Amino acid sequence: MTPGQTGGAEYDARIKRAEQLSSPHSAATEFLEFYGHVASFQKLLLANIAAAHQVKPPAPPAEPRGEIDFTVILPHFRGYLSVIENHAPPALAESARQMALLDSDSWIASLEAYWRYAGIYDQQVGAFAQFLPRAFLQPYAEFRAALMARAPQVTTPRLCPLCRSRPLLGVLRPEGDGGKRFLLCSFCLQEWEFRRILCPTCGEEAEDKLPVYVAEDSPHVRVEACDACKFYLRTIDLTKDGNAIPIVDDLAAIPHTLWASEQGYSRLQPNLLGT
Ligand SMILES: [Zn+2]
Ligand SMILES: [Zn+2]
């Protein structure tokens, strides 16, 4: 994505994929329908961010977490809260309603706290508490990260080389006869290359300590576990399903989350909806 492109097409693909994955039999349908509303809002917000950027381009950010330009995004926050209030599951809708009652200084404080700590110092916070700032700021983080110059990658960093956040997902992309693994950042949604036989949480490299589990009914969703640290990385395998959109297929994988926790594995970083 460049400043000239608003990224709208990526959002359209996410919305379409959420519709495809919704089915009357899926436990995830309620979440996917809600996510469709969130992504539609995010697409509009991104278009506004991109338009403001063209009028007044700031210096290219040195990192995605540089100062937030609240004049660009804050006017959209109330509208965002109504989208959540109208479409979210009850507890989340109520938290949006409460947030709407607060003044703009409180909104800024909440957004800034997320912006500073997300994916770095927030492991105990949980997806629910983080949802409101996270879904709102995601397009902004994505936009800024896409503007950054990228240094060639010579190491295998366990944190996002652009913003230092923990990875949300692995992504296997077709290359040659197999797949090359990338990690997808939980904060700015950019990807970086990562070795296949290496735990992104603790650095374990012994293949027999890194079991991979795949369910028969969705072979493109992998639980890449580590028996040394007991964390797992969910990886979306695009060599098995080229239509998958990693961040959306992740939201649909509720049975995998339950299964992994029954096996005693924890997820390093929850997704937007904590599923
Ligand atoms: Zn990042
Ligand atoms: Zn590990």
Side-chain angles (χ1 to χ4, degrees):
M1 190 168 66
T2 68
Q5 302 165 314
T6 59
E10 283 176 34
Y11 279 84
D12 286 337
R14 291 173 194 170
I15 294 163
K16 194 166 140 227
R17 182 66 176 167
E19 283 166 7
Q20 279 171 355
L21 292 174
S22 298
S23 85
H25 312 295
S26 163
T29 294
E30 184 197 359
F31 290 113
L32 289 167
E33 284 174 359
F34 169 51
Y35 172 75
H37 291 287
V38 172
S40 301
F41 171 83
Q42 290 178 326
K43 179 187 164 185
L44 278 175
L45 181 60
L46 181 66
N48 278 285
I49 293 167
H53 185 274
Q54 291 201 324
V55 175
K56 190 184 70 162
E63 63 132 341
R65 288 178 204 265
E67 231 171 277
I68 301 176
D69 185 350
F70 283 107
T71 63
V72 173
I73 62 163
L74 209 59
H76 303 282
F77 196 59
R78 188 173 291 283
Y80 163 73
L81 292 175
S82 341
V83 171
I84 306 307
E85 217 183 312
N86 291 329
H87 299 289
L92 202 50
E94 177 57 22
S95 79
R97 201 182 68 77
Q98 296 293 335
M99 181 67 92
L101 299 173
L102 302 177
D103 59 20
S104 57
D105 284 348
S106 310
W107 294 351
I108 289 174
S110 160
L111 295 171
E112 277 188 329
Y114 173 79
W115 196 250
R116 196 164 310 143
Y117 301 121
I120 304 178
Y121 303 113
D122 60 346
Q123 227 149 359
Q124 307 307 322
V125 175
F128 180 83
Q130 233 175 23
F131 178 87
L132 289 176
R134 185 176 183 184
F136 183 70
L137 289 172
Q138 203 163 62
Y140 193 55
E142 216 176 338
F143 181 80
R144 293 184 59 133
L147 291 179
M148 290 175 57
R150 300 197 181 206
Q153 194 181 316
V154 285
T155 57
T156 298
R158 287 190 236 157
L159 300 176
C160 172
L162 295 177
C163 74
R164 304 184 311 281
S165 291
R166 290 183 290 271
L168 174 67
L169 288 173
V171 181
L172 283 178
R173 296 189 174 277
E175 188 178 278
D177 295 334
K180 189 180 246 191
R181 184 162 77 160
F182 294 80
L183 300 185
L184 187 148
C185 175
S186 59
F187 180 79
C188 72
L189 304 186
Q190 308 301 300
E191 292 180 13
W192 70 98
E193 212 179 308
F194 199 78
R195 269 166 43 205
R196 281 191 67 160
I197 311 297
L198 175 62
C199 170
T201 306
C202 72
E204 178 61 54
E205 295 179 281
E207 197 162 358
D208 62 342
K209 292 212 175 110
L210 300 169
V212 175
Y213 304 96
V214 177
E216 256 172 46
D217 58 354
S218 46
H220 71 298
V221 180
R222 296 158 62 93
V223 170
E224 299 185 333
C226 174
D227 285 331
C229 67
K230 289 290 179 185
F231 279 91
Y232 77 95
L233 180 76
R234 177 171 300 147
T235 291
I236 306 299
D237 186 349
L238 299 177
T239 70
K240 296 271 165 39
D241 185 347
N243 294 317
I245 305 279
I247 62 168
V248 185
D249 286 64
D250 173 35
L251 296 175
I254 295 175
H256 295 76
T257 307
L258 299 174
W259 182 87
S261 77
E262 279 165 20
Q263 308 306 309
Y265 297 118
S266 308
R267 191 167 183 179
L268 184 59
Q269 190 73 15
N271 64 32
L272 194 58
L273 300 175
T275 56

